[in-house]
């Protein structure tokens, strides 16, 4: 076996260029697998750790107001392990040096101590002292956005009254790991804050002495959450209960789960493609190596090595390359996972990060890479296994001669080198086809990792240029009469006002439910549109509801079916509304009715929950200041800030992931093209040397070798585009959530950038092969076996 080991090392040294290229491809596939699953593990483990140690609630309920004496009855509800009542109040904040509207939510904690549930992790400072009504804890994300620290002063409007508060500490809560304002789609840390105050202080500020308006609880093991929720709703109904809900519907938890599901989808999809390409490359290299070592195989078998040992020798060659690539991949993947998890932590505010590389993840990645590549090279290895010594001693018989298509068609005017290229491709269709497939896979991979930017730009254009054209969205503390719109329209700089009515509701069809809401828009509309599947504005019918197509899919409902709507505010009517049509939206989901229809169904007058505003750009700051002074205004959302928030989130998460993927796909493109060039050069060095002896110039033989490579690359482009489009379609299917849905948009830039990267890889490979051609030793090449 020692001789075979020496031969193994010699073969590895001979194939060092190709081996390194293939090892890099394997390393990228393994790295993506390790990066994705390790980052996913870190986020998942951190989530579980924080939930457990900080006692994250399992059921939540909001209500108008109930006396504290009701708490004891709530604790007797079946399944309740620990129950805590709270006061929470919407607030407005004034931050020195920041002239845009800032809103937030103030929540009570027991005076001077931690709550039993949803305990706070103090990042700095301390809890508000017992008996102090001028101290507050501030959420870390908001504090960082404005560089606020314990000891700083904060002006807060609670219940229409200004209060000057001191920041006693900076804290994190399991309830707000993903800190987002209700109704928003993306976090905006600089304009939305979470505050925690002593219970007595917040009760006094919000006129809730001896009362509560929020309940959280945990359940005994094995308790049915829905049974507890039903009991809770029954007890809270007469106190303005807005519907209890489980952890799955808690805003922060739901967003985190959706993001983790998307990471999991990408974690499986992309690495498997990388590893599949590396298996294909190894198959090509092993087949070529075995073909050129026929005589060595014959000698080995003649000296007594059995077929299994010889086959194992070539299999070992493959495994060594796989092992080197896998080790590099695990190291690279671990480093990338740490960086990726750190980026996600900017949005998922975990107090700590449980980061570790599980041995099972690394071993699984290595096993997948090894298994795929071994399967990919079995055909070539089997050829060495069954090759009889006597046959192996003879050179491989030449292929049957036949006139090529060009010769049969009598096409003239082609140069001799060009005819040689075409003849070689036609006589080796399988080899040429595999080369085209390999390069096409590289093109497809580049498209797969590069199309997301164009898709996201398109998604933003549709949502914020076609569908939502308002400059500002104003929401009121509670539904109010339409006359309030006149007050908004009278503000300087406001060009147009359009009211809307929204109501939180549980939408149900069959056994499927979705906690969201219904929105009533007036007709005609000028600032906000709902779009059909051709992205054309459509009118909301007099009767019936329009549903976002993704929401209809989630509920399993279609046009003509009846949607059950449990309104969670006011008189909480139970409605049955026929689905009149579907609308296309890429961000968020909704159920849309005419405003007068919704008012009739709710049994109320002409009320609005808020308004869309068109504002002169020069007057935006002044309008903000005026809106901030209006007691009825709960919040103001500017379209441009929403776009910026989305851009920040995407650029720091998905696009960073894409950047890693593009880098890795580029390495695959180079490895595929370079390996094709190396194999072509190794197989045809004798032929090229012969042509030199026959009088062909060096540029001519370079044209024969590199021209064939370029022709294969050009032929691979259309197939690569098709493969890329299919892979992109598959990836978008895994990125469909109720938060946003990435559409399949393949722009000219997507195709061009993929083609450009592969062409650059071809050019670099050609330059490297050009150096090898210059150094070609014709004597040695002519002496080599054919």
């Amino acid at each position: 076996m020692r001789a075979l080991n020496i031969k193994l090392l010699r073969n590895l040294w001979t194939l060092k260029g190709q081996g390194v290229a293939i090892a890099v491809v394997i390393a990228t596939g393994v790295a993506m697998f390790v990066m994705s699953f390790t980052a996913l593990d870190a986020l998942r483990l951190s989530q579980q750790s924080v939930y457990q140690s900080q006692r994250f609630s399992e059921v939540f309920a909001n209500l108008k107001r109930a006396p504290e004496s009701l708490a004891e009855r709530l604790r007797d509800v079946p399944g309740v392990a620990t129950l805590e009542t709270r006061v929470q109040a919407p607030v407005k904040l004034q931050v020195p040096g920041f002239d845009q509207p800032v809103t937030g939510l103030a929540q009570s904690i027991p005076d001077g101590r931690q709550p039993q549930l949803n305990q706070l992790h103090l990042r700095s400072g301390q809890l508000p002292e017992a008996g102090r009504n001028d101290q507050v804890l501030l959420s870390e994300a908001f504090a960082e956005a404005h560089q606020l620290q314990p000891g700083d002063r904060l002006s807060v409007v609670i219940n229409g009254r200004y209060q000057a508060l001191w920041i006693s500490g900076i804290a994190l809560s399991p309830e707000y790991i993903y800190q987002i304002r209700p109704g928003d789609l993306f976090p905006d840390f600089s304009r939305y804050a979470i505050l925690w105050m002593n219970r007595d202080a917040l009760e006094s500020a919000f006129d809730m002495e001896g009362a509560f308006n929020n309940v959280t609880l945990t359940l005994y093991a094995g308790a049915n959450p829905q049974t507890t929720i039903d009991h809770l709703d029954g007890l809270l109904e007469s106190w303005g209960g807005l519907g209890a809900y489980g952890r799955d519907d808690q805003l922060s938890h739901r967003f985190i789960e959706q993001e983790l599901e998307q990471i999991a989808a990408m974690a499986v999809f992309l690495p498997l493609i990388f590893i599949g390409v590396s298996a294909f490359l190894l198959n090509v290299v092993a087949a070529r190596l075995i073909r050129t070592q026929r005589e060595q195989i014959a000698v080995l078998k003649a000296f007594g090595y059995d077929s299994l040992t010889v086959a194992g020798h070539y299999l070992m060659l493959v495994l060594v390359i796989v092992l080197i690539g896998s080790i590099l991949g695990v190291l690279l993947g671990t480093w990338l996972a740490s960086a990726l998890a750190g980026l996600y932590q900017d949005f998922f505010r975990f107090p700590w990060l449980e980061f570790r590389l599980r041995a099972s993840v690394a071993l699984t990645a290595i096993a997948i890479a090894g298994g795929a590549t071994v399967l990919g090279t079995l055909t070539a290895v089997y050829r060495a296994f069954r090759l009889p010594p006597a046959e192996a001693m003879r050179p491989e018989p030449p292929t049957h001669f036949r006139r090529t298509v060009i010769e049969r068609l009598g096409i003239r005017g082609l140069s001799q080198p060009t005819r040689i290229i075409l003849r070689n491709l036609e006589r080796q269709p399988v080899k040429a086809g595999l080369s085209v497939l390999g390069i096409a896979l590289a093109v497809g991979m580049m498209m797969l990792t590069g199309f997301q930017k164009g898709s996201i730009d398109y998604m933003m254009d549709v949502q914020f240029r076609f569908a939502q054209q308002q400059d500002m969205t104003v929401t009121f503390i509670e539904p109010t009469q339409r006359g309030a719109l006149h007050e908004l329209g009278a503000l300087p700089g406001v060009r147009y006002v359009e009211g809307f009515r929204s109501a939180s509701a549980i939408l149900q069809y069959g056994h499927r439910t979705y906690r969201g809401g219904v929105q009533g828009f007036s007709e005609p509309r000028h600032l906000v549109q709902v779009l059909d599947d051709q992205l054309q504005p459509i009118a909301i019918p007099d009767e019936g509801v329009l549903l976002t197509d993704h929401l209809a899919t989630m509920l399993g409902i279609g046009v003509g079916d009846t949607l059950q709507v449990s309104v969670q505010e006011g008189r909480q009517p139970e409605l049955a509304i026929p689905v009149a049509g579907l609308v296309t939206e890429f961000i968020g989901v909704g159920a849309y009715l005419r405003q007068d229809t919704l008012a009739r169904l709710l049994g109320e007058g002409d009320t609005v929950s808020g308004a869309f505003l068109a504002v002169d750009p020069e007057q935006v700051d002044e309008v903000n200041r005026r809106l901030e002074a209006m007691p009825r205004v709960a919040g103001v959302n500017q379209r441009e800030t929403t776009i910026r928030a989305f851009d920040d989130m995407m650029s720091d998460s998905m696009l960073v992931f894409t950047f890693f993927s593009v880098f890795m796909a580029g390495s695959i493109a180079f490895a595929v093209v370079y390996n094709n060039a190396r194999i072509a050069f190794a197989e045809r060095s004798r032929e090229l040397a012969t042509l030199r002896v026959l009088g062909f110039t060096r540029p001519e033989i370079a044209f024969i070798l590199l021209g064939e490579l370029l022709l294969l690359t050009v032929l691979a482009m259309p197939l690569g585009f098709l493969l890329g489009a299919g892979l992109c379609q598959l990836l978008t299917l895994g990125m469909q959530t109720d938060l946003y849905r990435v559409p399949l948009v393949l722009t000219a830039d997507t195709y061009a950038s993929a083609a450009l990267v592969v062409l650059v890889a071809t050019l670099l490979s050609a330059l490297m092969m050009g150096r090898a051609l210059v150094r070609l030793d014709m004597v040695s090449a002519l002496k080599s076996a054919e």
Side-chain angles (χ1 to χ4, degrees), residues 77 420 731:
V77 168
I420 292 174
L731 187 60

PDB file of all heavy atoms in Angstrom, residues 77 420 731:
ATOM      1  N   VAL A  77     -58.376  30.887  36.221  1.00  0.00           N
ATOM      2  CA  VAL A  77     -58.701  30.299  34.913  1.00  0.00           C
ATOM      3  C   VAL A  77     -57.895  29.018  34.738  1.00  0.00           C
ATOM      4  O   VAL A  77     -56.695  28.974  35.048  1.00  0.00           O
ATOM      5  CB  VAL A  77     -58.383  31.313  33.790  1.00  0.00           C
ATOM      6  CG1 VAL A  77     -58.428  30.632  32.425  1.00  0.00           C
ATOM      7  CG2 VAL A  77     -59.363  32.478  33.836  1.00  0.00           C
ATOM      8  N   ILE A 420     -10.846  22.797 -36.583  1.00  0.00           N
ATOM      9  CA  ILE A 420     -10.369  21.856 -35.553  1.00  0.00           C
ATOM     10  C   ILE A 420     -11.226  21.979 -34.285  1.00  0.00           C
ATOM     11  O   ILE A 420     -11.613  20.986 -33.667  1.00  0.00           O
ATOM     12  CB  ILE A 420      -8.876  22.120 -35.235  1.00  0.00           C
ATOM     13  CG1 ILE A 420      -8.018  21.735 -36.437  1.00  0.00           C
ATOM     14  CG2 ILE A 420      -8.446  21.353 -33.991  1.00  0.00           C
ATOM     15  CD1 ILE A 420      -6.550  22.093 -36.273  1.00  0.00           C
ATOM     16  N   LEU A 731     -36.184  29.522  -5.158  1.00  0.00           N
ATOM     17  CA  LEU A 731     -35.797  30.265  -3.961  1.00  0.00           C
ATOM     18  C   LEU A 731     -36.908  31.224  -3.515  1.00  0.00           C
ATOM     19  O   LEU A 731     -37.169  31.363  -2.318  1.00  0.00           O
ATOM     20  CB  LEU A 731     -34.511  31.048  -4.219  1.00  0.00           C
ATOM     21  CG  LEU A 731     -33.909  31.745  -2.995  1.00  0.00           C
ATOM     22  CD1 LEU A 731     -33.562  30.734  -1.915  1.00  0.00           C
ATOM     23  CD2 LEU A 731     -32.674  32.545  -3.370  1.00  0.00           C
TER      24      LEU A 731
END
